[in-house]
Amino acid sequence: MSSIIVGVDIGTSFVHVVIGELNETGNLEIVAVSKNPSDGVRNGVIVNIEKAVAVIQETVGAAEQIAGCDVRRCVTAIGGANIESRDSTGMAVISTKEHSRRDINVADVNTAITSATAIYIAMDRQILHVIPKEYIVDSLRGFKDPIGTSATRLEVETHIVTASKTGLHTLEQCFMRAGYELVGAKPVMLKTLAATKATLLGDEQELGSILIDMGGGTTDVLVLCNEAPVCTASIPIGSNFITNDISTVLGIPFEVAEKLKIESGCCWGELVNPEETIIIPGVGGRPPAEAPRLKLCEIIQARVIEIFTEVLKEVKKKSTVKKMSGSIVLTGGGALLSGVVELAEAVFRTSAVRIGEPGNLGGSENLYRNPEYATAVGLVLENKNVAEVDDVGLRTSSSETKKSSFNFGSIMQRLIETFF
């Protein structure tokens, strides 16, 4: 028996599963990946539990067969319209005696973080992450870890992410009915937070970077600076909108348009030879027709420009960071579009744009080294330590009855949870 971690990313277009195993030296190795088209998910929100359950079972089951294991427990992510965020400040008094001070301890830090959560949260929402951005010790800013510092007062600036209670409960129901437990250090994470764990480098997190997760139904955004999230946003436009545009303009079914987008699509006209042509499949008795590839590119480019423009507006509106010297990192299925980097460079006016591919984590196949798998791989990485003390899944040759309980962890554990 050995410890495994199973990350499940439920997207609008696809469900991705990654199984990681901790080897004898404590290093994580990806042992299986699987992917299936989503069903019952619209614009990042599960709208049909039964259909979503069936896809989860099918996709996890395929990964189980590859890894040769029996999965009981998973970790997952949530995003899109389910998510809201805001900043908050908390404080802890270290000493009340005049001219007296003592060293800050863990309890003081927890008190300050808990204090930051004393804000109005709507009844239909639940705190998902409370992420310290910066600690202030006796009015001195810039502390990342204040424990052990002598002080009289401790303040903390946090970024609080909340999720729809309905969305969280629906996730719970899906995994429970599928026969899996949600258990881990962070059993449910913000999708973009998980993706940053798999794709962003340390200096990118420090200098200020934007992660853009280009999903099928939504485009989710996370801005990081000084190694902490400072802004989250979700744009209700995704790559399925591109496919719908192609379908409408060319008069072809959605499925045909999706195939054409994948096989011949490009979103940066300068990469397309004006003489190049594509074949538009015939439908409704019409014969196939030849058309300039540049026409397809123009359809795609217009929508992707809109997506990036909306991202830029949201970042400017919600982020207080005046200058970012890191990177713009693109993940999700939309990041596979030809020319997407060049178009992002033009819209954001920077050359620091790259595709966010997870690093090399071993395994016989490297299918996970793909922006589509960024969230699922990040879930595994962020929860790997829990497998050392309590198996998230079991590597075994025998099949056991799957449990159907759900555990978010204690309230206090959620409140003091940190991402880095």
Side-chain angles (χ1 to χ4, degrees):
M1 180 187 298
S2 59
S3 298
I4 66 169
I5 311 96
V6 184
V8 182
D9 176 21
I10 304 172
T12 301
S13 298
F14 291 94
V15 172
H16 296 85
V17 173
V18 170
I19 298 181
E21 179 181 15
L22 289 176
N23 58 30
E24 295 178 354
T25 62
N27 293 320
L28 182 71
E29 181 177 334
I30 302 300
V31 295
V33 299
S34 61
K35 163 185 168 181
N36 276 309
S38 271
D39 203 358
V41 183
R42 182 179 301 159
N43 296 339
V45 177
I46 297 173
V47 295
N48 188 311
I49 291 180
E50 295 305 323
K51 289 182 178 180
V53 166
V55 177
I56 291 170
Q57 289 176 325
E58 181 181 2
T59 314
V60 175
E64 282 180 310
Q65 291 186 350
I66 296 170
C69 67
D70 177 43
V71 172
R72 298 179 184 177
R73 306 169 187 172
C74 305
V75 289
T76 191
I78 190 170
N82 291 295
I83 297 300
E84 292 179 2
S85 66
R86 60 183 294 185
D87 292 335
S88 180
T89 301
M91 186 187 76
V93 176
I94 308 303
S95 177
T96 57
K97 296 181 180 179
E98 187 177 359
H99 305 303
S100 177
R101 49 198 307 122
R102 64 172 174 81
D103 291 349
I104 296 170
N105 57 37
V106 174
D108 298 322
V109 171
N110 291 345
T111 298
I113 293 174
T114 302
S115 172
T117 67
I119 56 175
Y120 172 75
I121 302 292
M123 293 292 291
D124 62 343
R125 306 203 63 78
Q126 179 172 319
I127 291 178
L128 186 66
H129 298 285
V130 181
I131 307 162
K133 298 193 298 181
E134 180 184 36
Y135 292 96
I136 304 167
V137 179
D138 289 343
S139 300
L140 297 177
R141 308 183 71 94
F143 287 83
K144 289 296 180 183
D145 182 5
I147 294 175
T149 305
S150 179
T152 60
R153 186 179 66 177
L154 173 68
E155 297 172 84
V156 61
E157 293 184 351
T158 66
H159 188 68
I160 298 178
V161 179
T162 65
S164 160
K165 284 185 177 180
T166 300
L168 288 171
H169 180 70
T170 303
L171 267 180
E172 170 189 347
Q173 291 297 307
C174 285
F175 280 89
M176 181 180 70
R177 295 187 189 184
Y180 304 110
E181 235 183 325
L182 284 177
V183 176
K186 296 173 185 176
V188 181
M189 286 186 69
L190 176 64
K191 285 193 176 193
T192 46
L193 277 178
T196 59
K197 187 68 177 180
T199 60
L200 260 67
L201 305 176
D203 57 347
E204 290 177 323
Q205 297 174 18
E206 179 69 31
L207 295 173
S209 297
I210 305 173
L211 182 132
I212 304 174
D213 183 11
M214 304 177 69
T218 63
T219 298
D220 291 347
V221 184
L222 180 69
V223 180
L224 294 102
C225 190
N226 295 325
E227 300 183 354
V230 296
C231 165
T232 59
S234 183
I235 312 300
I237 310 172
S239 57
N240 284 352
F241 287 68
I242 300 171
T243 306
N244 190 64
D245 291 344
I246 297 170
S247 173
T248 301
V249 174
L250 300 183
I252 56 179
F254 186 91
E255 293 75 15
V256 177
E258 178 71 14
K259 183 178 180 182
L260 193 62
K261 180 184 75 174
I262 294 171
E263 295 179 351
S264 304
C266 180
C267 61
W268 187 241
E270 294 184 15
L271 297 178
V272 178
N273 183 341
E275 304 299 322
E276 191 175 357
T277 61
I278 58 173
I279 300 298
I280 300 176
V283 294
R286 300 197 310 265
E290 189 176 68
R293 187 183 177 213
L294 196 55
K295 180 179 180 180
L296 176 64
C297 175
E298 289 171 351
I299 299 170
I300 298 172
Q301 182 171 311
R303 183 62 81 172
V304 179
I305 287 176
E306 179 189 9
I307 291 172
F308 286 151
T309 301
E310 289 300 314
V311 168
L312 189 56
K313 287 180 182 178
E314 285 294 301
V315 169
K316 286 182 177 179
K317 181 172 70 175
K318 294 185 176 182
S319 174
T320 58
V321 179
K322 300 300 181 183
K323 182 179 180 181
M324 289 179 283
S325 304
S327 302
I328 293 174
V329 179
L330 308 176
T331 64
L336 297 172
L337 271 171
S338 174
V340 71
V341 169
E342 290 81 358
L343 182 53
E345 289 176 343
V347 173
F348 291 95
R349 298 182 181 181
T350 177
S351 59
V353 180
R354 67 177 181 84
I355 303 299
E357 296 180 351
N360 186 3
L361 296 171
S364 58
E365 297 183 2
N366 61 357
L367 295 176
Y368 62 89
R369 301 198 67 184
N370 180 308
E372 283 188 288
Y373 284 95
T375 294
V377 171
L379 287 168
V380 170
L381 286 169
E382 190 64 6
N383 285 276
K384 68 177 183 179
N385 290 335
V386 75
E388 297 175 0
V389 295
D390 184 16
D391 295 331
V392 175
L394 294 178
R395 168 82 91 169
T396 175
S397 58
S398 63
S399 176
E400 301 180 37
T401 303
K402 294 180 176 125
K403 299 179 182 179
S404 59
S405 61
F406 179 77
N407 177 20
F408 269 112
S410 69
I411 294 177
M412 182 56 68
Q413 285 174 325
R414 290 202 309 273
L415 294 181
I416 66 174
E417 175 185 32
T418 57
F419 176 60
F420 297 98

